[in-house]
Amino acid sequence: MCRIYDLQVREDDDWQMVQKQGNQFVVNDQPFYVNGFNTYWLMVFAADQSTRGKVSELFHQASSAGLTVCRTWAFNDGQWRALQTSPSVYDEEVFKALDFVISEAKKYKIRLILSLTNNWDAYGGKAQYVKWGKAAGLNLTSDDEFFSHTTLKSYYKAHVKTVLNRVNTFTNLTYKNDPTIFAWELMNEPRCTSDPSGDTLQSWIQEMAVYVKSIDAKHLVEIGLEGFYGPSAPDRAKFNPNSYATQVGTDFIRNHQTLGVDFASVHIYADSWISQTISDAHLQFTKSWMEAHIEDAEKYLRMPVLFTEFGVSAKDTGYNTSFRDTLISSVYKTLLNSTKKGGSGAGSLLWQLFPDGTDYMNDGYAIVLSKSPSTSNIISLHSTRIATFNSLCSTKCKWGCKKKNPLEEFLYHDDL
């Protein structure tokens, strides 16, 4: 088994924007496949000096495991330690905390997917925007009016504009010019159940994707979808986890054909969508769910797809660490099967990674690397494979063979 040359850490002046070429991400015209993680609460922890060190600790541990992308919230609407205390009114200390998160991520060569609001009530989200609208005298009857009411859309656009034009107080870089930011996410898990046709959400996505691009044409944009198939693709509904998934107002293929959307996002929660009792059915669903979306990204969308959340809860009946390791390995294997064929499977982000001493934040899905040696080993091995591929030249195999692409060369010679 031959192990390939040492991987080099890029210099700061070579820290370039992630871009898209066809169905791949690239940095400096080299493939960039993602092994990443979620930790949504980084800004809130950074806002308190007593917990700020946990942000650095997390990035250090993630970097040591070879993880290169983190997804986190660039919003906290009207809640405890709110970033946006009311429409277009911001807490500067919390904004400085987000500045810190971004600057600290760069130190550890970790790029960030920053989500701009939430479908759910946690950290405010669309429900908070509706509350603000009602306080301003608007006659609103549903949280879904966030997607259609002109005033609420203007509140959201103002937030987008403020965040993208923010000048980082640690780096002096405007967010929209910072390569540390991998992509902007319009919303975490948008749903509009009041309009199962999908037209309302589709209109909002079209408007907001173009708006983000009008301010920042450099960064990639994604929607934040869970991946449910809708009315535009009835033949794909069989891959949905349940019949309800077709009725939440999202439409994976149609939504991602929108101008300004650069790559597809999908979440994987067999334990939430199918059954909270662990079984092999979870693994079977995960594989078919991933393969269907990778195929769609290649066939219809012609763009990369990132599985931006996946995991399994320790609260599930029958849960054990061995099953979690099997699930993670299955996700990684499915991605590698796509990657070695030059497919659209561009990477995945675990939900979610925690540093030591933050158990009180655990929703059941937390992975603490220092306490999970088997899981840590699986993550690190996958990181090594991906990092090696990302470092390979795509034009010539160093061993002189004629495999179709760099990863195929690597897998062939590494005898994986």
Side-chain angles (χ1 to χ4, degrees), residues 20 51 78 94 100 109 132 135 165 181 186 197 213 248 260 267 276 318 320 323 336-337 365 398 404:
K20 183 190 74 166
T51 53
V94 179
F100 174 80
K109 300 298 179 187
W132 285 332
N165 286 315
I181 297 169
L186 298 182
S197 76
K213 287 290 190 180
V248 297
H267 294 179
Q276 291 183 335
N320 55 58
F323 181 83
L336 284 172
N337 285 341
Y365 290 85
K398 65 173 286 186
K404 291 182 179 179

Side-chain angles (χ1 to χ4, degrees), residues 46 62 83-84 112 116-117 125 168 170-171 177 239 244 250 313 352-353 371 389 391 411:
L83 172 63
Q84 188 177 196
L112 300 174
L116 294 165
T117 196
N168 192 310
F170 289 85
T171 65
N177 295 325
F239 293 107
Y244 177 69
T250 67
S313 174
Q352 57 181 323
L353 208 64
K371 297 179 180 178
F389 177 43
S391 72
L411 294 178

Side-chain angles (χ1 to χ4, degrees), residues 57 61 84 160 201 209 219 261-262 303 358-359 373 382 402:
E57 183 182 331
Q61 292 174 356
Q84 188 177 196
V160 169
L201 186 57
H219 282 103
V261 175
D262 295 298
M303 61 173 52
T358 54
D359 300 41
H382 186 63
K402 296 180 180 178

Side-chain angles (χ1 to χ4, degrees), residues 339-385:
T339 305
K340 66 186 180 183
K341 295 183 291 188
S344 286
S348 61
L349 290 86
L350 289 156
W351 184 275
Q352 57 181 323
L353 208 64
F354 276 32
D356 292 288
T358 54
D359 300 41
Y360 59 95
M361 296 288 289
N362 187 1
D363 59 356
Y365 290 85
I367 297 172
V368 179
L369 293 176
S370 62
K371 297 179 180 178
S372 311
S374 61
T375 307
S376 181
N377 287 339
I378 291 167
I379 294 168
S380 296
L381 177 59
H382 186 63
S383 294
T384 299
R385 290 168 174 167

